[in-house]
Amino acid sequence: MSTVWIIVLIAVVVILLAAVFFVAGPGRRGGGRGLKRRFGPEYDRVVAHHDGDTKAAERELDERVKRHGSLELRPLTPETRARYVDRWAAIQEQFVDSPQHAVVEADRLLARLAADRGFPAEQQYDEQVSALSVHHADKVQGYRRVHRVANTDSSTEQMREAMLDARELFETLVSAKPADSGRHRPQRADDRHGRSHAPWSLGRGHHPKGSGA
């Protein structure tokens, strides 16, 4: 075989290896370490769900990246963004008098917002969470918590904490630009509008009116 053909074959092999590397995606490079770095606390949660079986957990996370890793955020118009921010503010205020109704509305609003940003439809809760975990692994647990308390009997304190966690994901989704991919923590949505919502600065000793606590 001539030297020229050897060089050509080496070049082809290098190109193929590079293609495999880039197709694998940032979440799967480096195997388990890459997945752990990408998913953070979500990685530990999935490992625990699989009773410590890291290989099974990594297969699940790897599949999530394959399904949702290429998802791109759809932009919100300024008017739509303002409507979401105003609606969340109203839900926060509603929490003082009716915490259970507020968490139900927060759960629905998050589902609708995620769908508007390009995540799976709001009726597909499991797929929404799966996709959100790929792009917002550090905040998706807040959505799980508010969804759980919205559908179970929970204490006022549990609902309050769930709303606080869910608010972080809401702020990210409502203000992130398509190129952000959840990499930067956005400025608080209500701060940009000059709002301050008292119910969320109250200490644990406060019991909302009508909570029965």
Side-chain angles (χ1 to χ4, degrees):
M1 184 179 289
S2 68
T3 303
V4 173
W5 278 110
I6 292 174
I7 293 174
V8 170
L9 287 173
I10 291 174
V12 169
V13 170
V14 170
I15 291 171
L16 288 174
L17 289 174
V20 170
F21 178 78
F22 285 106
V23 169
R28 299 196 295 279
R29 295 170 196 162
R33 285 181 299 176
L35 288 169
K36 190 167 187 176
R37 187 163 52 250
R38 176 168 192 157
F39 283 93
E42 180 70 4
Y43 179 94
D44 296 329
R45 193 196 71 81
V46 176
V47 170
H49 177 73
H50 286 280
D51 298 321
D53 186 341
T54 57
K55 290 189 180 298
E58 287 167 8
R59 282 196 298 271
E60 178 182 330
L61 294 173
D62 188 63
E63 181 59 31
R64 291 189 198 179
V65 176
K66 289 177 182 176
R67 290 204 314 273
H68 306 297
S70 61
L71 183 150
E72 295 184 4
L73 283 180
R74 289 200 296 256
L76 295 176
T77 65
E79 294 78 15
T80 300
R81 180 177 289 107
R83 283 198 298 271
Y84 272 114
V85 170
D86 289 343
R87 181 60 190 140
W88 187 267
I91 289 170
Q92 289 184 158
E93 292 169 0
Q94 183 183 46
F95 185 91
V96 176
D97 294 315
S98 183
Q100 182 63 47
H101 192 264
V103 295
V104 169
E105 289 300 307
D107 180 41
R108 291 173 180 167
L109 192 69
L110 271 176
R112 196 176 312 129
L113 174 58
D116 277 354
R117 296 314 308 261
F119 290 93
E122 55 193 282
Q123 296 84 2
Q124 300 174 287
Y125 169 75
D126 290 337
E127 275 300 290
Q128 263 199 350
V129 170
S130 178
L132 286 165
S133 74
V134 173
H135 296 272
H136 302 292
D138 58 335
K139 297 179 176 68
V140 69
Q141 188 60 18
Y143 185 17
R144 287 195 185 101
R145 290 189 71 182
V146 83
H147 185 77
R148 184 169 58 249
V149 300
N151 291 279
T152 59
D153 292 330
S154 305
S155 69
T156 300
E157 180 62 16
Q158 288 172 323
M159 289 187 283
R160 187 187 72 86
E161 290 176 354
M163 284 288 289
L164 289 171
D165 280 352
R167 181 179 175 177
E168 292 190 19
L169 179 61
F170 170 82
E171 290 172 346
T172 297
L173 289 177
V174 82
S175 59
K177 297 178 181 178
D180 288 345
S181 298
R183 290 174 296 180
H184 307 291
R185 193 175 192 277
Q187 184 181 8
R188 301 178 76 90
D190 55 342
D191 290 343
R192 293 196 310 276
H193 287 71
R195 295 186 177 93
S196 176
H197 299 295
W200 308 109
S201 61
L202 295 173
R204 292 175 179 270
H206 173 81
H207 299 295
K209 182 172 60 177
S211 67

